[in-house]
Amino acid sequence: MAGSKYAYVRNFELPDPLLPGTFLVFRLDGHSFHRFSTEHQFTKPNDVQALMLMDHAARDVMEEYKDIVLAFGESDEYSFLLRKSTSLYNRRESKICSTLTSFFTSCYVFHWKEYFPDSPLLYPPSFDGRIVVYPSSREVRDYFSWRQADTHINNLYNTIFWALVQQGGKTTTDAHAALRGTVSSQKHEMLFKSFGVNYNEIDARFRKGSILVRDIEDVSHKPLKWKKNKAKTKINLLHCDIIKDEFWDARPHLLE
Ligand code: ATP
Ligand code: ATP
Ligand code: MG
Ligand code: MG
Ligand code: MG
Ligand code: MG
Ligand code: MG
C-alpha cells in the first residue's frame, strides 16, 4: 500500500523493545493522591475501602493479562511482575506501560461506587506508570522486599502519627516534631504506652500490604510448573511476608 507523502513521519516513532528474557516489573502510583484522599475523605491512616478498591482494580489487570504472576499493593501504588518469557505486545515498553496504566485506571473508576457508595467521585483520578527491567530473580526478590519494607516503615510512622493527632490532640506539625529522629523500637513503645496499641496486632493488610499471586492449583501433586500455559491457576489475595524465603519457596513458578 502506497503511503502519502506525509507517511515518512512514522519513521520518527522509534521502537522501544524491552530486553528479551528479563523480568518486567510494572509499577503504577496514584497522581496527587495526598489531595485525592483528602478530598474524598479517606480514613487516616488507612482507608480500607480505598485499599480494597486498589486490590480489585489490580485483580482485574491480572485477569486480563495472564503473564502477570504476582502483584503487590500499598497505599496508592501497585507493582506487577510479568514472566520473563512474556511476549506481551512484543515487549514494547510504551505499549505495555500505557495500556496497563489505562486499564487499571478505568477499573478503579469503574468499581468506585461499589466501595464508596455514599461518596461520588469529585474529579477523575489518574495514575502514572513505569516499567523496570530486572535481569535475575535476585533483583526481583529484592524489589518486592523493598516495597514491603516501605509499607512497614510508612505504616508504622502513619499509625503513630495519626494516633498523636486523632487521640493525642496534637497538631500535625507537633506530631511530626514528636516523631523526628525516633527509631522503630521507640515508635512501637510510644504506640503501646500512650495508646495501648500493640503494633503487631494491627490488620495485616496495613502492615504487610496486599499480595495478589497467581497460584497453580496443585491437583497432580507434581512439582509446580506452568506447563505451557495449561496449568489451572487461581489468583489469591494475601497479606503475608514476602521478604523471607517461605512465600517464594512454595511458589517456584513465580520466578521461572
Ligand atoms: P505523587 O503524585 O507524587 O504520587 P501523591 O500525593 O500521590 O503524589 P504519594 O507518595 O504517592 O503522594 O502518597 C500517596 C498518599 O495518598 C499518601 O500519603 C496518603 O496520604 C494517601 N493515601 C493513599 N491511599 C490511602 C489510603 N488507602 N488511606 C489513606 N490515605 C491514602
Ligand atoms: P498497535 O498494535 O500498537 O496499535 P499500530 O498503532 O501501529 O500498533 P494499529 O493501531 O493496529 O497498529 O494499526 C495502525 C495501522 O493501521 C497503521 O500502520 C496505519 O497505517 C493503519 N491505519 C490506522 N488508521 C488508519 C487510517 N485511518 N487510515 C489509513 N491507515 C490507517
Ligand atoms: Mg510519589
Ligand atoms: Mg501517588
Ligand atoms: Mg504512592
Ligand atoms: Mg492500535
Ligand atoms: Mg494505531
Side-chain angles (χ1 to χ4, degrees), residues 1 7 10 13 89-90 92 95 99:
M1 187 182 72
R10 178 84 202 219
E13 290 182 24
Y89 301 136
N90 289 324
R92 291 158 54 200
K95 180 83 176 183
T99 310

Side-chain angles (χ1 to χ4, degrees), residues 29 75-77:
D29 183 286
S75 182
D76 66 339
E77 70 167 65

Side-chain angles (χ1 to χ4, degrees), residues 6 8 31 48 65 71 81 97 102 110 117-118 131 144 156 158 172 189 199 206 214 221 251:
Y6 308 115
Y8 77 95
H31 172 68
V48 71
Y65 294 95
L81 173 65
C97 192
S102 163
F110 193 72
D118 305 318
I131 293 174
F144 284 97
L156 179 59
N158 291 337
T172 53
E189 203 179 295
Y199 183 77
F206 305 152
R214 196 182 295 283
H221 299 285
R251 299 172 178 84

Side-chain angles (χ1 to χ4, degrees), residues 119-252:
S119 173
L121 271 174
L122 300 174
Y123 61 89
S126 58
F127 292 81
D128 70 59
R130 72 198 64 183
I131 293 174
V132 186
V133 169
Y134 289 112
S136 80
S137 55
R138 183 71 263 158
E139 290 88 8
V140 173
R141 286 278 311 261
D142 288 345
Y143 174 84
F144 284 97
S145 297
W146 174 52
R147 293 329 297 150
Q148 191 167 54
D150 185 77
T151 304
H152 168 72
I153 293 163
N154 291 335
N155 189 58
L156 179 59
Y157 188 94
N158 291 337
T159 302
I160 178 76
F161 174 83
W162 285 104
L164 289 167
V165 173
Q166 290 164 351
Q167 294 151 61
K170 282 202 191 310
T171 65
T172 53
T173 312
D174 288 348
H176 280 304
L179 291 172
R180 198 162 296 132
T182 58
V183 298
S184 170
S185 58
Q186 290 168 306
K187 291 192 186 77
H188 279 272
E189 203 179 295
M190 281 169 81
L191 208 49
F192 189 71
K193 286 206 173 136
S194 306
F195 304 103
V197 173
N198 182 345
Y199 183 77
N200 296 320
E201 285 169 6
I202 288 174
D203 192 343
R205 181 190 286 274
F206 305 152
R207 286 183 295 113
K208 301 292 182 193
S210 291
I211 295 103
L212 282 166
V213 60
R214 196 182 295 283
D215 280 324
I216 296 177
E217 299 202 321
D218 187 13
V219 280
S220 61
H221 299 285
K222 286 185 193 136
L224 300 177
K225 289 256 172 210
W226 290 120
K227 290 181 220 146
K228 290 189 178 162
N229 295 328
K230 280 191 185 144
K232 255 199 148 183
T233 64
K234 189 170 180 290
I235 300 166
N236 290 312
L237 173 65
L238 310 169
H239 308 288
C240 65
D241 178 277
I242 55 169
I243 295 176
K244 294 198 260 321
D245 291 337
E246 187 186 344
F247 172 84
W248 302 91
D249 286 349
R251 299 172 178 84

Side-chain angles (χ1 to χ4, degrees), residues 10-180:
R10 178 84 202 219
N11 297 329
F12 285 66
E13 290 182 24
L14 300 179
D16 61 348
L18 292 158
L19 196 69
T22 54
F23 294 98
L24 309 183
V25 172
F26 164 66
R27 180 172 77 251
L28 50 74
D29 183 286
H31 172 68
S32 285
F33 261 48
H34 187 75
R35 174 186 166 211
F36 183 83
S37 62
T38 305
E39 295 214 14
H40 293 85
Q41 296 172 337
F42 283 14
T43 304
K44 295 291 177 176
N46 295 296
D47 189 296
V48 71
Q49 293 299 114
L51 293 172
M52 285 165 64
L53 173 56
M54 290 290 291
D55 295 344
H56 195 149
R59 181 186 285 272
D60 285 353
V61 171
M62 286 181 75
E63 300 279 6
E64 188 72 16
Y65 294 95
K66 307 289 185 198
D67 281 347
I68 299 172
V69 293
L70 177 69
F72 177 78
E74 59 159 317
S75 182
D76 66 339
E77 70 167 65
Y78 241 99
S79 300
F80 298 86
L81 173 65
L82 287 105
R83 306 167 65 177
K84 66 179 176 188
S85 62
T86 188
S87 56
L88 180 63
Y89 301 136
N90 289 324
R91 299 177 76 97
R92 291 158 54 200
E93 178 167 9
S94 59
K95 180 83 176 183
I96 299 172
C97 192
S98 59
T99 310
L100 267 56
T101 307
S102 163
F103 189 71
F104 181 95
T105 305
S106 53
C107 291
Y108 188 92
V109 171
F110 193 72
H111 296 300
W112 175 266
K113 272 214 279 299
E114 297 164 42
Y115 295 88
F116 293 95
D118 305 318
S119 173
L121 271 174
L122 300 174
Y123 61 89
S126 58
F127 292 81
D128 70 59
R130 72 198 64 183
I131 293 174
V132 186
V133 169
Y134 289 112
S136 80
S137 55
R138 183 71 263 158
E139 290 88 8
V140 173
R141 286 278 311 261
D142 288 345
Y143 174 84
F144 284 97
S145 297
W146 174 52
R147 293 329 297 150
Q148 191 167 54
D150 185 77
T151 304
H152 168 72
I153 293 163
N154 291 335
N155 189 58
L156 179 59
Y157 188 94
N158 291 337
T159 302
I160 178 76
F161 174 83
W162 285 104
L164 289 167
V165 173
Q166 290 164 351
Q167 294 151 61
K170 282 202 191 310
T171 65
T172 53
T173 312
D174 288 348
H176 280 304
L179 291 172
R180 198 162 296 132

